[in-house]
Amino acid sequence: MVHQYKNNGYNMVLDVESGSVHVVDDLTYDVIALFEKNSLEEVQSQLGQYESKDVKEAYEEVAELKDMGVLFSEDDYEDYICEFKKRPTVVKALCLHIAHDCNLACRYCFAEEGEYQGDRSLMSAEIGKKALDFLVANSGNRRNLEVDFFGGEPLMNFDVVKEIVAYGRSLEEEHNKNFRFTLTTNGMLLNDDIMDFANKEMDNVVLSVDGRKEVHDYMRPTPNGKGSYDIIIDKFKKFAEQRHQEKYYVRGTFTHHNLDFSQDVFHLADEGFKQISVEPVVGPDTEEYTIKEADLPQVMKEYDKLASEMVKRNKEGKGFTFFHFMIDLTGGPCVAKRLSGCGSGTEYLAVTPWGDLYPCHQFVGEDEFLMGNVNDGIKKEDIVSEFKATSVYSREACRDCFARFYCSGGCSANSYKLNGTINGTYDIGCQLERKRVECALMIKAAQMTEKESSNEE
Amino acid sequence: MKHIKTLTNKTLKSTVKKGGCGECQTSCQSAKTSCTVGNQVCN
Protein backbone atom coordinates (compact mmCIF):
# COMPACT_ATOMS: atom_id res chain seq x y z
CA MET A 1 0.00 0.00 0.00
CA VAL A 2 1.33 3.41 -0.97
CA HIS A 3 0.28 6.63 0.74
CA GLN A 4 1.16 9.84 -1.04
CA TYR A 5 0.51 13.40 0.08
CA LYS A 6 1.83 16.95 -0.30
CA ASN A 7 2.98 18.91 2.73
CA ASN A 8 4.92 22.16 3.06
CA GLY A 9 6.13 21.96 -0.55
CA TYR A 10 7.26 18.33 -0.37
CA ASN A 11 5.78 15.50 -2.44
CA MET A 12 5.85 12.63 0.04
CA VAL A 13 5.44 8.93 -0.75
CA LEU A 14 5.22 6.34 2.03
CA ASP A 15 5.42 2.67 1.12
CA VAL A 16 3.51 1.41 4.12
CA GLU A 17 4.54 -2.24 4.37
CA SER A 18 8.26 -1.74 3.76
CA GLY A 19 8.38 1.49 5.78
CA SER A 20 10.25 3.17 2.93
CA VAL A 21 9.86 6.93 2.58
CA HIS A 22 10.47 8.78 -0.68
CA VAL A 23 10.43 12.41 -1.77
CA VAL A 24 9.55 12.80 -5.45
CA ASP A 25 9.08 15.50 -8.07
CA ASP A 26 5.66 16.55 -9.39
CA LEU A 27 5.87 14.28 -12.43
CA THR A 28 6.70 11.15 -10.41
CA TYR A 29 4.01 12.02 -7.86
CA ASP A 30 1.45 11.87 -10.67
CA VAL A 31 2.98 8.71 -12.16
CA ILE A 32 2.81 6.87 -8.82
CA ALA A 33 -0.90 7.69 -8.49
CA LEU A 34 -1.55 5.93 -11.82
CA PHE A 35 1.13 3.24 -11.73
CA GLU A 36 -0.72 0.25 -10.30
CA LYS A 37 -3.69 0.24 -12.67
CA ASN A 38 -2.15 1.54 -15.89
CA SER A 39 0.47 0.53 -18.44
CA LEU A 40 3.24 2.95 -19.39
CA GLU A 41 1.34 3.95 -22.54
CA GLU A 42 -1.84 4.65 -20.56
CA VAL A 43 0.10 6.73 -18.02
CA GLN A 44 1.75 8.70 -20.84
CA SER A 45 -1.59 9.44 -22.45
CA GLN A 46 -3.15 10.52 -19.13
CA LEU A 47 -0.22 12.78 -18.26
CA GLY A 48 -0.17 14.77 -21.49
CA GLN A 49 1.10 17.86 -19.70
CA TYR A 50 4.55 16.22 -19.37
CA GLU A 51 7.06 15.20 -22.06
CA SER A 52 6.49 11.56 -22.99
CA LYS A 53 10.16 10.64 -22.52
CA ASP A 54 10.15 12.19 -19.02
CA VAL A 55 7.08 10.15 -18.06
CA LYS A 56 8.84 7.02 -19.30
CA GLU A 57 11.93 7.86 -17.22
CA ALA A 58 9.89 8.40 -14.04
CA TYR A 59 7.78 5.29 -14.70
CA GLU A 60 10.94 3.19 -15.00
CA GLU A 61 12.32 4.56 -11.73
CA VAL A 62 9.06 3.65 -9.97
CA ALA A 63 9.18 0.16 -11.50
CA GLU A 64 12.76 -0.24 -10.33
CA LEU A 65 11.84 0.68 -6.75
CA LYS A 66 8.92 -1.74 -6.89
CA ASP A 67 11.31 -4.52 -7.90
CA MET A 68 13.55 -3.56 -4.97
CA GLY A 69 10.61 -4.01 -2.57
CA VAL A 70 10.44 -0.37 -1.48
CA LEU A 71 7.33 0.67 -3.42
CA PHE A 72 4.00 -1.16 -3.71
CA SER A 73 5.25 -3.87 -1.34
CA GLU A 74 2.86 -6.43 0.16
CA ASP A 75 1.70 -6.97 3.75
CA ASP A 76 2.88 -10.48 4.56
CA TYR A 77 3.36 -9.98 8.30
CA GLU A 78 0.04 -11.23 9.65
CA ASP A 79 1.01 -14.88 10.24
CA TYR A 80 4.36 -13.77 11.69
CA ILE A 81 2.73 -11.37 14.14
CA CYS A 82 0.03 -13.85 15.19
CA GLU A 83 2.77 -16.40 15.96
CA PHE A 84 4.91 -13.75 17.65
CA LYS A 85 2.03 -12.78 19.92
CA LYS A 86 1.74 -16.39 21.12
CA ARG A 87 5.24 -16.35 22.61
CA PRO A 88 5.53 -16.26 26.40
CA THR A 89 5.82 -12.66 27.56
CA VAL A 90 7.59 -11.18 30.56
CA VAL A 91 6.67 -8.11 32.58
CA LYS A 92 9.03 -5.29 31.60
CA ALA A 93 7.50 -2.23 33.20
CA LEU A 94 5.30 -1.11 36.06
CA CYS A 95 3.39 2.10 36.55
CA LEU A 96 3.34 2.61 40.32
CA HIS A 97 0.39 4.66 41.51
CA ILE A 98 2.40 6.05 44.34
CA ALA A 99 -0.34 8.51 45.32
CA HIS A 100 -4.05 8.43 44.63
CA ASP A 101 -4.22 12.02 45.76
CA CYS A 102 -3.47 15.34 44.12
CA ASN A 103 -2.89 18.98 44.99
CA LEU A 104 -4.43 20.24 41.74
CA ALA A 105 -7.96 19.93 40.37
CA CYS A 106 -7.34 19.65 36.62
CA ARG A 107 -10.57 19.73 34.63
CA TYR A 108 -9.58 16.97 32.19
CA CYS A 109 -7.96 14.52 34.63
CA PHE A 110 -8.86 10.90 33.85
CA ALA A 111 -7.80 10.11 37.43
CA GLU A 112 -10.47 12.46 38.82
CA GLU A 113 -8.25 14.52 41.13
CA GLY A 114 -6.01 11.48 41.48
CA GLU A 115 -8.59 9.22 43.09
CA TYR A 116 -9.41 6.91 40.14
CA GLN A 117 -13.05 6.46 41.15
CA GLY A 118 -11.92 5.39 44.63
CA ASP A 119 -10.65 6.97 47.84
CA ARG A 120 -7.57 9.07 48.41
CA SER A 121 -4.68 6.78 49.24
CA LEU A 122 -0.88 6.70 49.34
CA MET A 123 1.22 3.64 48.48
CA SER A 124 3.24 2.26 51.39
CA ALA A 125 6.93 1.44 51.00
CA GLU A 126 6.04 -2.18 51.73
CA ILE A 127 3.65 -2.40 48.75
CA GLY A 128 6.17 -0.59 46.54
CA LYS A 129 8.92 -3.05 47.44
CA LYS A 130 6.61 -6.01 46.81
CA ALA A 131 5.82 -4.52 43.40
CA LEU A 132 9.53 -4.47 42.54
CA ASP A 133 9.90 -8.05 43.80
CA PHE A 134 6.97 -9.02 41.55
CA LEU A 135 8.62 -7.26 38.59
CA VAL A 136 12.00 -8.94 39.13
CA ALA A 137 10.35 -12.36 39.54
CA ASN A 138 8.23 -11.98 36.39
CA SER A 139 10.75 -10.33 34.07
CA GLY A 140 12.62 -13.43 32.89
CA ASN A 141 15.98 -12.62 31.33
CA ARG A 142 15.01 -9.05 30.56
CA ARG A 143 17.72 -6.81 32.06
CA ASN A 144 16.29 -3.30 31.68
CA LEU A 145 13.21 -2.83 33.85
CA GLU A 146 11.13 0.34 33.90
CA VAL A 147 9.26 1.75 36.86
CA ASP A 148 7.23 4.93 36.54
CA PHE A 149 6.10 6.88 39.59
CA PHE A 150 2.66 8.13 38.69
CA GLY A 151 -0.43 9.45 40.40
CA GLY A 152 -2.25 11.54 41.35
CA GLU A 153 0.76 13.57 42.28
CA PRO A 154 3.76 11.36 43.14
CA LEU A 155 5.56 14.06 45.10
CA MET A 156 2.81 13.89 47.73
CA ASN A 157 4.47 10.60 48.72
CA PHE A 158 8.09 11.43 48.01
CA ASP A 159 9.66 9.67 51.01
CA VAL A 160 8.20 6.40 49.76
CA VAL A 161 9.50 7.14 46.23
CA LYS A 162 13.01 7.45 47.68
CA GLU A 163 12.65 4.24 49.68
CA ILE A 164 11.41 2.27 46.66
CA VAL A 165 14.25 3.57 44.47
CA ALA A 166 16.84 2.59 47.10
CA TYR A 167 15.27 -0.87 47.33
CA GLY A 168 15.38 -1.23 43.54
CA ARG A 169 19.06 -0.31 43.45
CA SER A 170 19.75 -2.95 46.13
CA LEU A 171 18.23 -5.64 43.87
CA GLU A 172 20.15 -4.79 40.69
CA GLU A 173 23.44 -6.60 41.16
CA GLU A 174 22.05 -9.79 42.65
CA HIS A 175 19.43 -10.21 39.91
CA ASN A 176 21.39 -8.69 36.99
CA LYS A 177 18.77 -6.00 36.46
CA ASN A 178 18.93 -2.31 35.64
CA PHE A 179 16.01 -0.22 36.88
CA ARG A 180 15.08 2.81 34.80
CA PHE A 181 12.95 4.97 37.05
CA THR A 182 10.76 7.75 35.69
CA LEU A 183 8.64 10.37 37.42
CA THR A 184 5.62 12.41 36.37
CA THR A 185 4.89 15.55 38.37
CA ASN A 186 2.75 18.68 38.32
CA GLY A 187 5.62 20.56 39.95
CA MET A 188 3.70 22.03 42.88
CA LEU A 189 5.95 20.38 45.50
CA LEU A 190 9.12 20.39 43.42
CA ASN A 191 12.16 21.75 45.29
CA ASP A 192 15.95 21.62 45.08
CA ASP A 193 16.26 18.41 47.10
CA ILE A 194 13.75 16.60 44.89
CA MET A 195 15.47 17.86 41.74
CA ASP A 196 18.84 16.66 43.01
CA PHE A 197 17.39 13.25 43.78
CA ALA A 198 15.64 13.02 40.39
CA ASN A 199 18.76 14.10 38.51
CA LYS A 200 20.64 11.26 40.17
CA GLU A 201 18.00 8.53 39.98
CA MET A 202 15.36 9.31 37.33
CA ASP A 203 16.01 8.23 33.75
CA ASN A 204 13.23 10.54 32.58
CA VAL A 205 10.95 13.10 34.18
CA VAL A 206 7.64 14.31 32.78
CA LEU A 207 6.70 17.83 33.85
CA SER A 208 3.06 18.77 33.40
CA VAL A 209 2.52 22.23 31.90
CA ASP A 210 -0.03 23.04 29.21
CA GLY A 211 1.64 26.04 27.56
CA ARG A 212 0.54 29.66 27.83
CA LYS A 213 -0.26 30.84 31.36
CA GLU A 214 -3.96 31.52 30.68
CA VAL A 215 -4.41 28.13 28.99
CA HIS A 216 -2.59 26.28 31.78
CA ASP A 217 -4.36 28.10 34.61
CA TYR A 218 -7.83 27.51 33.15
CA MET A 219 -7.38 23.72 32.90
CA ARG A 220 -5.02 23.17 35.85
CA PRO A 221 -6.34 25.13 38.84
CA THR A 222 -5.61 24.43 42.49
CA PRO A 223 -8.51 22.99 44.53
CA ASN A 224 -9.44 26.53 45.60
CA GLY A 225 -9.60 27.69 41.99
CA LYS A 226 -6.32 29.58 41.64
CA GLY A 227 -3.88 29.10 38.77
CA SER A 228 -0.76 26.96 39.12
CA TYR A 229 1.42 28.27 36.25
CA ASP A 230 3.37 30.86 38.25
CA ILE A 231 4.15 28.31 40.97
CA ILE A 232 5.73 25.76 38.62
CA ILE A 233 7.19 27.41 35.53
CA ASP A 234 10.50 28.69 36.91
CA LYS A 235 11.09 25.42 38.75
CA PHE A 236 10.56 23.48 35.52
CA LYS A 237 12.99 25.74 33.65
CA LYS A 238 15.64 25.19 36.31
CA PHE A 239 14.99 21.43 36.29
CA ALA A 240 15.32 21.23 32.49
CA GLU A 241 18.61 23.15 32.58
CA GLN A 242 19.97 20.94 35.36
CA ARG A 243 19.20 17.92 33.16
CA HIS A 244 21.11 19.55 30.28
CA GLN A 245 17.88 19.83 28.27
CA GLU A 246 17.55 16.07 27.87
CA LYS A 247 15.85 13.11 29.56
CA TYR A 248 12.73 15.09 30.37
CA TYR A 249 9.55 16.29 28.68
CA VAL A 250 7.38 19.24 29.43
CA ARG A 251 4.04 17.60 28.83
CA GLY A 252 0.91 19.58 28.00
CA THR A 253 -2.61 18.66 27.02
CA PHE A 254 -4.60 20.63 24.48
CA THR A 255 -8.38 20.73 24.52
CA HIS A 256 -11.35 22.27 22.73
CA HIS A 257 -10.43 25.49 24.58
CA ASN A 258 -7.00 25.91 22.95
CA LEU A 259 -7.35 24.57 19.44
CA ASP A 260 -4.56 27.02 18.54
CA PHE A 261 -2.22 24.74 20.51
CA SER A 262 0.77 25.39 18.26
CA GLN A 263 1.00 28.68 20.15
CA ASP A 264 1.38 26.72 23.38
CA VAL A 265 4.17 24.62 21.88
CA PHE A 266 5.95 27.76 20.66
CA HIS A 267 5.45 29.37 24.07
CA LEU A 268 7.18 26.43 25.76
CA ALA A 269 9.97 26.50 23.16
CA ASP A 270 10.39 30.26 23.62
CA GLU A 271 10.63 29.71 27.37
CA GLY A 272 13.70 27.59 26.65
CA PHE A 273 12.35 24.03 26.80
CA LYS A 274 13.85 21.66 24.22
CA GLN A 275 11.85 18.47 24.90
CA ILE A 276 8.16 19.18 24.40
CA SER A 277 5.04 17.06 24.21
CA VAL A 278 1.63 18.69 23.83
CA GLU A 279 -1.06 16.12 23.18
CA PRO A 280 -4.81 16.05 22.51
CA VAL A 281 -7.08 15.44 25.47
CA VAL A 282 -8.93 12.13 25.41
CA GLY A 283 -12.34 11.97 27.03
CA PRO A 284 -16.02 11.27 26.48
CA ASP A 285 -17.75 13.34 23.82
CA THR A 286 -20.12 14.65 26.47
CA GLU A 287 -17.38 16.72 28.13
CA GLU A 288 -17.18 20.30 26.88
CA TYR A 289 -13.36 20.25 26.75
CA THR A 290 -12.92 17.26 24.40
CA ILE A 291 -11.88 17.55 20.76
CA LYS A 292 -14.96 17.30 18.53
CA GLU A 293 -15.21 16.20 14.90
CA ALA A 294 -15.92 19.83 13.96
CA ASP A 295 -12.62 20.88 15.58
CA LEU A 296 -10.50 18.62 13.38
CA PRO A 297 -9.88 21.00 10.43
CA GLN A 298 -8.39 23.58 12.80
CA VAL A 299 -6.33 20.97 14.68
CA MET A 300 -4.93 19.68 11.36
CA LYS A 301 -3.95 23.23 10.36
CA GLU A 302 -2.23 23.66 13.71
CA TYR A 303 -0.16 20.51 13.18
CA ASP A 304 0.85 21.83 9.74
CA LYS A 305 1.73 25.21 11.23
CA LEU A 306 3.77 23.53 13.96
CA ALA A 307 5.61 21.29 11.49
CA SER A 308 6.58 24.08 9.09
CA GLU A 309 7.71 26.31 11.98
CA MET A 310 9.82 23.44 13.35
CA VAL A 311 11.52 23.11 9.95
CA LYS A 312 12.22 26.85 10.00
CA ARG A 313 13.57 26.82 13.55
CA ASN A 314 15.74 23.79 12.82
CA LYS A 315 17.37 25.68 9.96
CA GLU A 316 17.98 28.63 12.28
CA GLY A 317 19.63 26.39 14.88
CA LYS A 318 16.72 26.91 17.28
CA GLY A 319 15.14 23.49 16.93
CA PHE A 320 13.30 21.52 19.59
CA THR A 321 11.88 18.02 19.91
CA PHE A 322 8.12 17.51 19.67
CA PHE A 323 7.31 14.05 21.02
CA HIS A 324 4.52 13.24 18.58
CA PHE A 325 6.66 14.19 15.58
CA MET A 326 9.51 11.88 16.58
CA ILE A 327 10.17 9.26 13.92
CA ASP A 328 13.45 7.43 13.49
CA LEU A 329 13.83 6.39 9.87
CA THR A 330 17.10 4.56 10.45
CA GLY A 331 16.77 2.87 13.86
CA GLY A 332 13.10 2.67 14.72
CA PRO A 333 11.41 -0.34 16.27
CA CYS A 334 11.27 -3.72 14.54
CA VAL A 335 8.11 -4.81 12.79
CA ALA A 336 7.18 -7.17 15.64
CA LYS A 337 7.11 -4.27 18.07
CA ARG A 338 5.30 -1.98 15.65
CA LEU A 339 2.49 -4.39 14.98
CA SER A 340 2.02 -5.86 18.44
CA GLY A 341 1.33 -2.63 20.31
CA CYS A 342 2.20 -0.96 23.59
CA GLY A 343 2.36 -4.08 25.78
CA SER A 344 -0.39 -3.10 28.21
CA GLY A 345 -1.79 -6.07 30.12
CA THR A 346 1.20 -8.24 29.22
CA GLU A 347 4.54 -6.42 29.47
CA TYR A 348 3.29 -3.29 31.20
CA LEU A 349 1.07 -3.23 34.30
CA ALA A 350 -0.20 -0.62 36.72
CA VAL A 351 -0.06 -1.07 40.50
CA THR A 352 -2.54 0.70 42.79
CA PRO A 353 -1.53 2.12 46.19
CA TRP A 354 -2.85 -1.05 47.82
CA GLY A 355 -1.05 -3.40 45.41
CA ASP A 356 -3.74 -4.38 42.90
CA LEU A 357 -2.59 -5.03 39.33
CA TYR A 358 -4.33 -3.58 36.25
CA PRO A 359 -3.44 -3.73 32.52
CA CYS A 360 -2.34 -0.07 32.56
CA HIS A 361 -2.88 3.17 34.44
CA GLN A 362 -6.00 4.02 32.45
CA PHE A 363 -7.79 0.82 33.51
CA VAL A 364 -7.27 1.42 37.23
CA GLY A 365 -10.67 1.53 38.93
CA GLU A 366 -12.36 -0.59 36.22
CA ASP A 367 -13.24 -3.66 38.31
CA GLU A 368 -13.51 -6.08 35.40
CA PHE A 369 -9.83 -5.45 34.57
CA LEU A 370 -8.46 -6.22 38.04
CA MET A 371 -5.81 -8.86 37.25
CA GLY A 372 -4.35 -9.77 40.65
CA ASN A 373 -2.07 -8.16 43.21
CA VAL A 374 1.60 -7.87 44.09
CA ASN A 375 1.35 -10.51 46.84
CA ASP A 376 -0.29 -13.28 44.82
CA GLY A 377 0.71 -12.24 41.29
CA ILE A 378 -1.57 -12.40 38.27
CA LYS A 379 -4.75 -14.32 39.05
CA LYS A 380 -6.75 -13.63 35.91
CA GLU A 381 -4.72 -15.01 33.03
CA ASP A 382 -7.74 -14.56 30.76
CA ILE A 383 -7.17 -10.78 30.90
CA VAL A 384 -3.53 -11.30 29.88
CA SER A 385 -4.69 -13.50 27.00
CA GLU A 386 -7.23 -10.90 25.89
CA PHE A 387 -4.58 -8.16 25.75
CA LYS A 388 -2.04 -10.49 24.18
CA ALA A 389 -4.42 -11.11 21.29
CA THR A 390 -4.71 -7.43 20.42
CA SER A 391 -2.66 -6.18 17.51
CA VAL A 392 -3.02 -4.17 14.34
CA TYR A 393 -4.60 -7.25 12.77
CA SER A 394 -7.26 -7.60 15.46
CA ARG A 395 -8.59 -4.12 14.73
CA GLU A 396 -10.54 -3.98 11.49
CA ALA A 397 -10.12 -0.22 11.05
CA CYS A 398 -6.32 -0.56 11.07
CA ARG A 399 -6.06 -2.88 8.10
CA ASP A 400 -6.30 -0.15 5.47
CA CYS A 401 -4.63 2.59 7.50
CA PHE A 402 -1.27 3.93 6.31
CA ALA A 403 -0.26 4.88 9.87
CA ARG A 404 -0.58 1.42 11.38
CA PHE A 405 3.17 0.80 11.50
CA TYR A 406 3.59 3.97 13.55
CA CYS A 407 0.66 3.90 15.97
CA SER A 408 0.53 0.10 16.36
CA GLY A 409 -3.23 -0.03 16.64
CA GLY A 410 -3.75 2.75 19.13
CA CYS A 411 -4.67 2.69 22.78
CA SER A 412 -6.75 -0.17 24.21
CA ALA A 413 -7.96 2.02 27.09
CA ASN A 414 -9.19 4.77 24.80
CA SER A 415 -11.01 2.16 22.73
CA TYR A 416 -12.57 0.56 25.80
CA LYS A 417 -13.77 3.85 27.22
CA LEU A 418 -15.27 5.00 23.94
CA ASN A 419 -16.41 1.71 22.37
CA GLY A 420 -16.72 -0.75 25.26
CA THR A 421 -14.09 -3.05 23.72
CA ILE A 422 -10.30 -3.05 23.84
CA ASN A 423 -10.20 -4.14 20.20
CA GLY A 424 -11.68 -1.04 18.64
CA THR A 425 -10.25 2.29 17.63
CA TYR A 426 -10.88 5.92 18.57
CA ASP A 427 -11.67 7.63 15.29
CA ILE A 428 -10.71 11.20 16.21
CA GLY A 429 -7.46 9.90 17.70
CA CYS A 430 -6.80 7.96 14.49
CA GLN A 431 -7.33 11.02 12.30
CA LEU A 432 -4.93 13.03 14.46
CA GLU A 433 -2.33 10.26 14.43
CA ARG A 434 -2.42 10.07 10.62
CA LYS A 435 -1.85 13.82 10.42
CA ARG A 436 1.05 13.65 12.88
CA VAL A 437 2.73 10.88 10.88
CA GLU A 438 2.42 12.97 7.71
CA CYS A 439 3.93 16.01 9.44
CA ALA A 440 6.71 13.99 11.07
CA LEU A 441 7.78 12.43 7.77
CA MET A 442 7.76 15.85 6.08
CA ILE A 443 10.04 17.23 8.81
CA LYS A 444 12.41 14.30 8.22
CA ALA A 445 12.38 15.02 4.49
CA ALA A 446 13.16 18.68 5.14
CA GLN A 447 16.00 17.84 7.52
CA MET A 448 17.56 15.27 5.22
CA THR A 449 17.35 17.38 2.06
CA GLU A 450 18.70 20.39 3.99
CA LYS A 451 21.63 18.27 5.20
CA GLU A 452 22.38 17.10 1.66
CA SER A 453 22.28 20.69 0.36
CA SER A 454 24.74 21.76 3.07
CA ASN A 455 27.07 18.88 2.21
CA GLU A 456 26.99 19.81 -1.48
CA GLU A 457 27.97 23.39 -0.63
CA MET B 1 17.75 8.44 -9.35
CA LYS B 2 16.72 11.63 -11.06
CA HIS B 3 13.11 11.87 -9.91
CA ILE B 4 13.04 10.08 -6.54
CA LYS B 5 14.98 10.60 -3.32
CA THR B 6 14.64 7.72 -0.84
CA LEU B 7 15.04 8.71 2.82
CA THR B 8 15.18 5.23 4.35
CA ASN B 9 18.13 2.86 4.10
CA LYS B 10 16.49 -0.38 5.16
CA THR B 11 13.03 -1.89 5.10
CA LEU B 12 10.81 -3.11 7.90
CA LYS B 13 10.99 -6.55 6.33
CA SER B 14 14.69 -6.65 7.19
CA THR B 15 13.74 -6.49 10.89
CA VAL B 16 11.66 -9.67 10.81
CA LYS B 17 14.59 -12.05 11.33
CA LYS B 18 16.48 -10.00 13.90
CA GLY B 19 13.52 -8.31 15.59
CA GLY B 20 11.34 -9.25 18.50
CA CYS B 21 14.06 -9.39 21.18
CA GLY B 22 11.82 -7.48 23.60
CA GLU B 23 14.57 -5.31 25.06
CA CYS B 24 13.04 -2.08 23.82
CA GLN B 25 11.57 0.41 26.23
CA THR B 26 7.87 0.08 26.92
CA SER B 27 6.36 2.91 24.93
CA CYS B 28 4.10 4.16 27.70
CA GLN B 29 7.05 5.10 29.89
CA SER B 30 8.18 7.94 27.70
CA ALA B 31 5.90 10.94 27.83
CA LYS B 32 0.31 8.14 29.02
CA THR B 33 -2.75 8.89 26.90
CA SER B 34 -1.99 8.74 23.20
CA CYS B 35 0.47 5.95 22.71
CA THR B 36 2.63 5.87 19.60
CA VAL B 37 5.01 2.96 19.27
CA GLY B 38 6.54 4.18 16.02
CA ASN B 39 8.59 6.88 17.67
CA GLN B 40 10.37 4.51 20.03
CA VAL B 41 13.99 3.51 19.71
CA CYS B 42 15.30 -0.02 19.16
CA ASN B 43 19.75 -2.99 19.29
Side-chain angles (χ1 to χ4, degrees), chain A residues 6 33 46 49 59-60 65 74 118 140 154 187 209 231 247 260 271 310 313 352-353 362 415 437 443:
Chain A
K6 294 172 184 272
Q46 288 184 57
Q49 70 271 39
Y59 188 94
E60 286 170 350
L65 290 183
E74 298 291 323
V209 53
I231 298 170
K247 295 195 169 186
D260 60 345
E271 289 292 322
M310 285 180 70
R313 291 192 185 207
T352 66
Q362 293 220 50
S415 170
V437 168
I443 291 171

Side-chain angles (χ1 to χ4, degrees), chain A residues 173-326:
Chain A
E173 193 173 350
E174 181 189 350
H175 297 280
N176 189 30
K177 302 291 183 187
N178 173 44
F179 281 100
R180 293 196 288 210
F181 292 107
T182 57
L183 172 75
T184 300
T185 178
N186 63 28
M188 295 292 283
L189 297 174
L190 197 59
N191 60 33
D192 287 346
D193 287 345
I194 292 171
M195 287 188 221
D196 288 346
F197 176 82
N199 291 336
K200 183 167 169 267
E201 297 288 4
M202 296 294 159
D203 196 63
N204 190 43
V205 292
V206 177
L207 312 173
S208 301
V209 53
D210 281 352
R212 292 163 292 181
K213 173 177 161 61
E214 64 274 20
V215 168
H216 178 98
D217 282 345
Y218 177 71
M219 289 310 286
R220 302 180 66 82
T222 61
N224 62 9
K226 293 184 175 172
S228 57
Y229 181 90
D230 289 336
I231 298 170
I232 61 158
I233 193 68
D234 287 337
K235 292 193 278 190
F236 282 176
K237 286 184 196 174
K238 182 177 179 180
F239 206 1
E241 281 302 316
Q242 286 182 350
R243 295 178 73 83
H244 311 294
Q245 291 294 342
E246 57 186 21
K247 295 195 169 186
Y248 80 94
Y249 278 99
V250 281
R251 161 67 163 95
T253 298
F254 73 84
T255 72
H256 178 73
H257 298 294
N258 62 319
L259 294 173
D260 60 345
F261 65 92
S262 69
Q263 300 308 307
D264 294 291
V265 178
F266 300 144
H267 170 78
L268 292 169
D270 293 340
E271 289 292 322
F273 295 109
K274 295 291 186 189
Q275 311 296 335
I276 301 171
S277 188
V278 175
E279 309 180 16
V281 70
V282 177
D285 203 34
T286 48
E287 294 286 356
E288 45 85 29
Y289 58 74
T290 52
I291 309 290
K292 311 292 191 289
E293 190 77 34
D295 297 332
L296 289 179
Q298 184 174 351
V299 174
M300 301 306 187
K301 278 183 190 166
E302 288 295 307
Y303 277 127
D304 280 337
K305 193 187 294 184
L306 175 58
S308 66
E309 177 69 11
M310 285 180 70
V311 169
K312 181 170 161 279
R313 291 192 185 207
N314 274 331
K315 284 181 183 170
E316 295 167 350
K318 296 189 294 191
F320 59 87
T321 299
F322 183 68
F323 179 68
H324 268 165
F325 285 172
M326 284 168 64

Side-chain angles (χ1 to χ4, degrees), chain A residues 32-46:
Chain A
I32 287 172
L34 298 169
F35 184 86
E36 273 198 298
K37 293 181 178 172
N38 295 279
S39 66
L40 170 59
E41 291 71 25
E42 288 167 331
V43 172
Q44 284 172 317
S45 82
Q46 288 184 57

Side-chain angles (χ1 to χ4, degrees), chain A residues 25 74 142 148 326 361 406, chain B residues 3 5 13 22 32 38-39:
Chain A
D25 59 18
E74 298 291 323
R142 159 94 183 190
D148 185 35
M326 284 168 64
H361 56 285
Y406 294 100
Chain B
H3 300 275
K5 186 185 296 292
K13 303 210 177 199
K32 294 284 189 189
N39 60 6

Side-chain angles (χ1 to χ4, degrees), chain A residues 359-380:
Chain A
C360 89
H361 56 285
Q362 293 220 50
F363 284 103
V364 167
E366 303 280 356
D367 290 343
E368 67 181 285
F369 289 98
L370 173 59
M371 302 171 72
N373 62 67
V374 293
N375 291 311
D376 306 322
I378 292 171
K379 290 295 181 190
K380 297 189 74 173

